[in-house]
């Protein structure tokens, strides 16, 4: 992956992380930096999944790829929020 691709993945990941957090109902007791990190990882994984499934070669916006990324981010935010919240309660 070229440097431009990595930078764009980070920028898209930040947006994907925020969208993933918005999709999950309720309050998530995790820091924003962790949400953004989840978004970057979800963006990279979502792109890999879309490419592997042959869904990333479309003209225009790749809506299916974005949907995969947001779903991955939402699942990860929910999982991390559940783990992070339990860890903080049991001092």
């Amino acid at each position: 992956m070229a440097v431009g691709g990595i930078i764009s993945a980070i920028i898209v990941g930040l947006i994907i992380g925020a969208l993933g957090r918005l999709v999950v109902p309720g309050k998530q007791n995790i820091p924003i930096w962790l949400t953004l990190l989840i978004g970057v990882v979800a963006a990279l994984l979502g792109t890999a999944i879309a490419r592997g499934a042959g869904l990333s070669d479309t003209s225009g916006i790749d809506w299916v790829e974005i949907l995969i990324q947001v779903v991955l981010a939402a699942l990860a935010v929910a999982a991390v929020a559940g783990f992070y919240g339990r860890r903080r309660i049991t001092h």
Side-chain angles (χ1 to χ4, degrees), residues 16-30 35 38 70-82:
I16 294 297
L19 288 173
R21 189 170 181 150
L22 287 173
V23 170
V24 176
K27 182 173 173 24
Q28 298 84 36
N29 291 322
I30 60 174
T35 302
I38 289 169
V70 171
V71 167
L72 287 173
L75 291 172
V77 164
V80 170

Side-chain angles (χ1 to χ4, degrees), residues 14-52:
L14 298 176
I15 296 167
I16 294 297
L19 288 173
R21 189 170 181 150
L22 287 173
V23 170
V24 176
K27 182 173 173 24
Q28 298 84 36
N29 291 322
I30 60 174
I32 191 69
W33 65 265
L34 187 54
T35 302
L36 300 177
L37 178 66
I38 289 169
V40 171
V41 172
L44 293 172
L45 284 175
T47 298
I49 291 169
R51 284 188 182 168

Side-chain angles (χ1 to χ4, degrees), residues 50-73:
R51 284 188 182 168
L55 302 171
S56 64
D57 292 333
T58 62
S59 60
I61 299 173
D62 294 328
W63 292 109
V64 174
E65 181 178 346
I66 292 171
L67 179 65
I68 293 169
Q69 292 170 335
V70 171
V71 167
L72 287 173

